[in-house]
Amino acid sequence: MQNLKILPLTRSDEKTLKEIYNIENASFKDSYSIESLKKEISLSFSRIFVAKENGKTVGYCIIWTIKNEAEIHRIAIAPEYRKRGIGKQLLKTVLKLLKEERVEKVFLEVSEKNFPAVNLYKSCGFKITGRRENYYGKGENALLMETLL
């Protein structure tokens, strides 16, 4: 993991966008289309940070920032790179960058059944602040989490 770099995605980086799309499809049943990912890059309040190991995209994080608040929309690591601490390093780096930009509070939603993600967020200072019943479908609730920077 010493060769891990976390960088913002640029609009012209089609190769990385396709790698993000592949990770997205492997990670979420309601995955974004390539067109949706391209739209994310064009939104003034949206940014994508990419984790690269030895030049290969191994994870990403999509955030929306509005004034002094941010929301994490997606964070995912390629299946073959999970359980190596990359997600935690990516999240900590993104939170550090947000703090430097004077963001004060960060929000997210996560399935209460996604124990690895919930534990990751808790380990980075997030607290559960609410629940949305059946948010991800019948019987799958969302936990609302936030942290102060």
Side-chain angles (χ1 to χ4, degrees), residues 64-104:
W64 285 10
T65 306
I66 300 173
K67 296 190 180 185
N68 64 342
E69 295 184 345
E71 183 173 351
I72 295 175
H73 277 264
R74 294 278 209 219
I75 185 168
I77 304 301
E80 64 272 25
Y81 288 88
R82 292 179 186 159
K83 298 184 180 181
R84 293 179 42 198
I86 294 171
K88 188 170 190 171
Q89 190 170 342
L90 174 59
L91 182 57
K92 282 187 165 196
T93 300
V94 168
L95 293 174
K96 180 178 180 263
L97 292 169
L98 291 172
K99 185 174 184 173
E100 290 170 2
E101 294 173 5
R102 294 186 165 42
V103 169
E104 297 172 3

Side-chain angles (χ1 to χ4, degrees), residues 43-142:
L43 297 171
S44 63
F45 52 84
S46 180
R47 288 181 287 164
I48 301 176
F49 289 92
V50 183
K52 289 189 173 267
E53 187 173 83
N54 298 317
K56 179 179 174 23
T57 301
V58 298
Y60 67 94
C61 181
I62 301 174
I63 60 162
W64 285 10
T65 306
I66 300 173
K67 296 190 180 185
N68 64 342
E69 295 184 345
E71 183 173 351
I72 295 175
H73 277 264
R74 294 278 209 219
I75 185 168
I77 304 301
E80 64 272 25
Y81 288 88
R82 292 179 186 159
K83 298 184 180 181
R84 293 179 42 198
I86 294 171
K88 188 170 190 171
Q89 190 170 342
L90 174 59
L91 182 57
K92 282 187 165 196
T93 300
V94 168
L95 293 174
K96 180 178 180 263
L97 292 169
L98 291 172
K99 185 174 184 173
E100 290 170 2
E101 294 173 5
R102 294 186 165 42
V103 169
E104 297 172 3
K105 190 183 287 189
V106 182
F107 302 90
L108 61 85
E109 296 161 347
V110 62
S111 169
E112 68 182 0
K113 294 179 181 179
N114 189 344
F115 302 115
V118 172
N119 289 332
L120 168 67
Y121 299 136
K122 285 181 177 179
S123 75
C124 290
F126 282 84
K127 307 270 188 259
I128 297 170
T129 57
R131 173 179 273 110
R132 290 195 174 133
E133 300 293 322
N134 300 313
Y135 185 77
Y136 295 107
K138 189 173 183 178
E140 192 168 357
N141 303 324

Side-chain angles (χ1 to χ4, degrees), residues 8-56:
L9 178 67
T10 61
R11 291 182 186 178
S12 61
D13 193 346
E14 290 286 326
K15 178 181 180 278
T16 300
L17 190 65
K18 287 177 184 167
E19 292 172 330
I20 290 169
Y21 175 71
N22 291 336
I23 296 169
E24 174 78 10
N25 279 323
S27 302
F28 300 103
K29 58 185 170 191
D30 62 337
S31 61
Y32 288 173
S33 67
I34 195 84
E35 292 79 21
S36 295
L37 291 169
K38 285 180 181 178
K39 183 178 179 184
E40 283 295 327
I41 300 170
S42 70
L43 297 171
S44 63
F45 52 84
S46 180
R47 288 181 287 164
I48 301 176
F49 289 92
V50 183
K52 289 189 173 267
E53 187 173 83
N54 298 317
K56 179 179 174 23

